[in-house]
Amino acid sequence: MSVSSWNDAPPRPPAEVLAWSRALLDPALRAAVDDLPAATRDIAAFHFGWRDAEGRPASGDAGKAVRPALTLLSAAAVGGTAAAALPAAVAVELAHNFSLLHDDVMDGDVTRRHRPTAWTVFGSNAAILAGDALLAGAFEALAGGPAPASSVRTLGRAVLELVEGQGEDLSFERRAEVPLAECLAMAGRKTGALLGAACALGAALGGADANAEGIALRAERLGSFGERVGLAFQLADDLLGIWGDPDVTGKPVHSDLRNRKQSLPVVAALESGTPAGDELAVLYRRGDPLADTDAARAAALVEAAGAREWAARKADALCAAALTDLDAADPVPTVAAELRALAHMLTHRDH
């Protein structure tokens, strides 16, 4: 789609944008997975919902593919084409799913997207190796396109941030107290870094033929937009981890609380200095997962401590700051409207 076409067309709703992105992404993503060694290829195809456990064709949910959509829109936002940024879109989706395969093993999650996780079907070691293969494929996809060396460094830095954030998240499970500022920084690395890279990479590839200095500044702004949206998205996700509808989340209600997860609303409640926060701390010091009644009580305590409201307000503030970054990137107006709508969808998820 040309710049004039973007300007002439009305903004599309998020669902239509995600369907458009998925249609562009899937053939290239499938081709990248098909290039993997056979053992890891079959596990990746199962993880994406393309194959069942016996290798037969399936049509499972492969996720919304938000990160590739941000990449493709960011390319259009600086006046480029989505096609120019397709290698980066494939790369960020592969990198994201590398992290999901590893997360499921580390967290012991048995379902994802309403079906068994890969490690429960193929074993932990095989799932980890499949994740490693996806990460290698991500860099191969990016390096095989028109991306400059700086784009490979952008993705590499984002993955390092993601890994550091995941490591910090795991370490929090062994600590009785985690400062809220530290928890926010962890979430920014674990979730915000790759969303920021997705936007920055799209802008860099979409504007490759334009003024290099100007594109670098616009890519930086769009990267900041993505990072802030990512942290707001994590706040919204943490709220869903406590109060989300199991039919939507695919997890039991209060699932994060049952596992005594140090999510952002929980840490905010524990730091609140309120009687509800103090009572929650007593519950969280227990060594075993919380029973249903205790988990329900913990959810009520988080809300009574003001942490549910705090998380929603924090997400709103981050989203507002992200939109300021977006405006500073001087985006194509129609694309900017689609990015705003997508950011709102990600950060306002029934909380």
Side-chain angles (χ1 to χ4, degrees), residues 151-173:
S151 292
V152 177
R153 287 195 296 271
T154 295
L155 181 60
R157 175 50 53 185
V159 171
L160 289 173
E161 293 280 326
L162 185 159
V163 170
E164 183 179 7
Q166 175 65 16
E168 292 169 339
D169 194 20
L170 290 172
S171 74
F172 291 173
E173 296 176 4

Side-chain angles (χ1 to χ4, degrees), residues 55 126 185 202 212 271 278:
E271 275 199 5
D278 294 340

